[in-house]
Amino acid sequence: EEFVRKVGWNDPLNQSVIYDGVRRTVIGVVKDFHTQNFHQQILPVIFIGTKNGKVNFLTIRCNNGSLFEVDSTLRSAWASVSPDDPYTRKFQSDAFEGFYRSNDASIKVMIFIAALAMILASLGLSGLVAFETQLKVKEYCVRKVLGANSVSLIWLANRAYLPTLLVAFILGAPFGFYLISNAILNMYPEPKELSVSPFALSILAVLMIVGLSVGGQIQRAVNANPIENLRND
């Protein structure tokens, strides 16, 4: 298909092309597939038949669930046709195994780095929230004595972080989307469309971490005895 697009044929059947000084006639078109690995772009390819019909490889497609049955049938047929030659075959999954193993390793490394970054960011945020809470613990206690409940105090503390998070999301999400899209394009020339779900989940995770960190610190502050925190003032 890619070759047909490159030469601009509308009806490729029975068209001719000169290859290696010999004029060849197109008898069929195969759907695009990766002839190398998934890191390489799909290239135009032609398959050249021989006059005597001799082939080096036979590719067979079978229905799901019948793989081993077909393999057994082929093994028996091969033994009857060429009993002195060994029957060798390779499943398509075996051909892709090396690529998938390397790809899975890269994914695990990226997940580990992302998780480590989230943990470090959470620890830093928790430390900042704890420090800020200690500075305003007397304010929270006064508000509690005057009738403020825990929900209003938690919202009051979270409100200080929302503008910063909003700016971070507005700047970071599109920039991250752009960088990851380009990284995927450099790794895979023809990738699937990138989904926004990972970015939405990341934003949700950050909001949950902020909410839990701030909420936990404020909850400890408001649950403490206000007299103990205000006795020196």
Side-chain angles (χ1 to χ4, degrees):
E1 288 179 331
E2 183 63 20
F3 183 86
V4 171
R5 283 192 290 268
K6 290 292 184 181
V7 298
W9 287 336
N10 294 323
D11 185 12
L13 295 182
N14 298 320
Q15 296 278 2
S16 62
V17 59
I18 298 177
Y19 178 80
D20 199 17
V22 180
R23 182 174 295 275
R24 310 280 182 173
T25 301
V26 179
I27 62 173
V29 180
V30 179
K31 290 184 178 181
D32 286 336
F33 67 94
H34 288 272
T35 56
Q36 300 182 31
N37 57 51
F38 296 111
H39 293 302
Q40 304 294 328
Q41 190 174 8
I42 294 179
L43 301 175
V45 176
I46 59 174
F47 298 93
I48 299 175
T50 56
K51 292 182 179 180
N52 57 11
K54 182 180 179 181
V55 294
N56 294 323
F57 296 96
L58 180 64
T59 303
I60 297 178
R61 182 174 62 184
C62 59
N63 296 326
N64 293 334
S66 61
L67 180 63
F68 294 101
E69 180 182 354
V70 171
D71 181 53
S72 177
T73 302
L74 290 174
R75 186 184 298 273
S76 301
W78 182 267
S80 62
V81 173
S82 182
D84 297 330
D85 295 325
Y87 170 75
T88 57
R89 56 99 177 99
K90 179 180 290 187
F91 295 126
Q92 192 67 47
S93 57
D94 297 334
F96 292 150
E97 182 178 1
F99 171 80
Y100 287 136
R101 188 186 303 115
S102 175
N103 199 54
D104 290 342
S106 300
I107 292 175
K108 290 179 181 179
V109 170
M110 288 188 286
I111 291 176
F112 173 77
I113 294 175
L116 185 61
M118 291 289 288
I119 293 174
L120 293 177
S122 300
L123 292 175
L125 179 62
S126 297
L128 177 63
V129 171
F131 177 74
E132 291 287 340
T133 303
Q134 289 300 318
L135 293 179
K136 297 183 177 181
V137 64
K138 292 182 174 61
E139 175 187 349
Y140 296 145
C141 290
V142 170
R143 290 178 178 273
K144 182 180 180 182
V145 171
L146 295 177
N149 54 28
S150 300
V151 176
S152 62
L153 293 177
I154 292 175
W155 166 247
L156 178 66
N158 275 290
R159 192 172 59 184
Y161 299 95
L162 290 180
T164 304
L165 289 176
L166 183 61
V167 173
F169 292 152
I170 293 175
L171 297 179
F175 189 60
F177 186 88
Y178 172 78
L179 290 179
I180 292 178
S181 298
N182 280 273
I184 293 176
L185 285 175
N186 289 330
M187 295 175 60
Y188 307 101
E190 299 175 358
K192 294 183 178 179
E193 185 178 354
L194 187 62
S195 173
V196 298
S197 299
F199 299 92
L201 291 176
S202 301
I203 293 175
L204 180 61
V206 172
L207 291 176
M208 291 180 61
I209 291 172
V210 173
L212 292 174
S213 300
V214 175
Q217 294 293 336
I218 298 300
Q219 193 68 34
R220 282 194 290 270
V222 299
N223 286 337
N225 190 349
I227 297 177
E228 296 294 332
N229 293 318
L230 299 175
R231 64 189 305 175
N232 297 325
D233 294 344

